[in-house]
Amino acid sequence: MNLEEFKKKFEQIKNMGFVRSLRKGPTGIGYTFETLLGIKENNIVGPDIGNLEIKTHRLGSNNLITLLTFNRKVWKMNPLEAIRKYGTCDKNGRLGLYFTMSQKPNSQGLFIYITDESIQLRHLDGTLIAEWFFEDLVKRFEQKIPALIFVTAEVEERNGIEYFHYIRAQLLKGTSKDILISQFKEENILLDLRLHDKETRARNHGTGFRCYERNLPKIFKYVEDLL
């Protein structure tokens, strides 16, 4: 299916009004839409239409989604040292850094500091712990999400079952350093630390960069309403 074929198909789906979810739970919105499009479900991560991925969104949802992970050559302090100095214990008794970071210092005194060139993880005592340069983040973003179709649906619940009315489709492409800086400052993009003490080293699951799903179009340079 190409983009023009998608537009025609989306118009048909939009005109259907509310349709019953074909699956319970959070994945129902995407599964139902792709089924209506005629796309078969698979477990392969990749484009859905040509080079475009589809992201479905419940109108009014306040969910956070992970845009990308990036952790290459960013640590200014040894990660294991950082965990042991600033970490907290999880429910399994492991010491770790599992925090969603913003510009406001957390309970451990950690916060993000934004410069014209980078986003930094700092402590109130002045220590620079890690640094991500915006130039690298833009490259990683455009590798991970070169473009996507963002589909919004109104939701109704009837007798415990969701119904979706797919009302809007937007084509989103590219980003820029200036956009990322503004979105971090507005705290629409947050930074997730995901590492713990594994005795002789730090086990890092990749620093996540997360965004409020409803604000996803704000992160892109090119936004076009398809219908």
Side-chain angles (χ1 to χ4, degrees):
M1 184 184 300
N2 60 35
L3 191 57
E4 289 305 313
E5 290 169 334
F6 170 84
K7 289 180 182 178
K8 292 177 183 177
K9 191 69 177 177
F10 181 79
E11 186 173 13
Q12 294 172 5
I13 294 171
K14 182 178 180 180
N15 290 337
M16 291 171 68
F18 282 94
V19 293
R20 180 179 172 138
S21 179
L22 300 176
R23 173 186 288 169
K24 290 184 178 180
T27 62
I29 185 172
Y31 177 73
T32 302
F33 183 71
E34 292 188 1
T35 301
L36 292 172
L37 273 183
I39 297 175
K40 291 183 178 180
E41 183 181 37
N42 62 58
N43 295 319
I44 300 171
V45 177
D48 297 304
I49 299 174
N51 66 339
L52 300 170
E53 291 187 39
I54 297 171
K55 174 64 184 172
T56 48
H57 163 66
R58 290 170 172 82
L59 187 66
S61 170
N62 201 34
N63 289 343
L64 282 165
I65 59 170
T66 300
L67 299 168
L68 55 93
T69 58
F70 189 81
N71 207 51
R72 187 179 179 187
K73 297 180 179 180
V74 302
W75 290 90
K76 305 302 180 184
M77 174 184 281
N78 181 284
L80 186 56
E81 180 186 347
I83 291 169
R84 291 177 177 175
K85 189 171 182 180
Y86 305 119
T88 58
C89 285
D90 65 15
K91 62 182 180 181
N92 298 315
R94 298 182 310 189
L95 196 62
L97 292 174
Y98 286 94
F99 300 124
T100 297
M101 302 301 307
S102 67
Q103 295 169 87
K104 182 180 179 181
N106 68 6
S107 60
Q108 298 303 103
L110 301 175
F111 65 99
I112 59 171
Y113 181 78
I114 301 163
T115 76
D116 290 339
E117 301 299 328
S118 67
I119 179 167
Q120 302 174 349
L121 175 63
R122 289 185 169 271
H123 188 266
L124 286 172
D125 64 12
T127 302
L128 174 60
I129 301 165
E131 184 173 28
W132 294 261
F133 286 93
F134 287 115
E135 183 179 332
D136 295 329
L137 290 177
V138 169
K139 289 178 183 176
R140 177 66 175 153
F141 184 94
E142 292 186 339
Q143 289 171 353
K144 177 74 175 175
I145 321 172
L148 61 80
I149 296 173
F150 187 57
V151 174
T152 300
E154 295 176 332
V155 183
E156 286 186 1
E157 188 171 313
R158 306 173 188 172
N159 298 319
I161 297 171
E162 283 188 309
Y163 286 75
F164 306 113
H165 181 198
Y166 299 95
I167 59 172
R168 188 179 192 185
Q170 295 169 288
L171 177 62
L172 312 178
K173 290 183 181 179
T175 191
S176 70
K177 173 181 161 182
D178 289 342
I179 289 173
L180 293 185
I181 289 172
S182 71
Q183 293 304 295
F184 272 111
K185 287 183 176 179
E186 290 180 22
E187 297 192 342
N188 182 36
I189 304 178
L190 302 174
L191 185 151
D192 260 11
L193 299 176
R194 305 168 177 174
L195 62 161
H196 65 261
D197 188 335
K198 205 165 171 63
E199 297 183 0
T200 59
R201 63 184 179 87
R203 174 69 172 93
N204 198 326
H205 298 278
T207 304
F209 291 85
R210 307 182 76 199
C211 159
Y212 288 99
E213 189 178 272
R214 68 181 186 275
N215 292 332
L216 191 59
K218 292 183 178 181
I219 296 172
F220 287 83
K221 185 164 45 178
Y222 175 85
V223 179
E224 176 190 349
D225 279 309
L226 298 177
L227 199 67

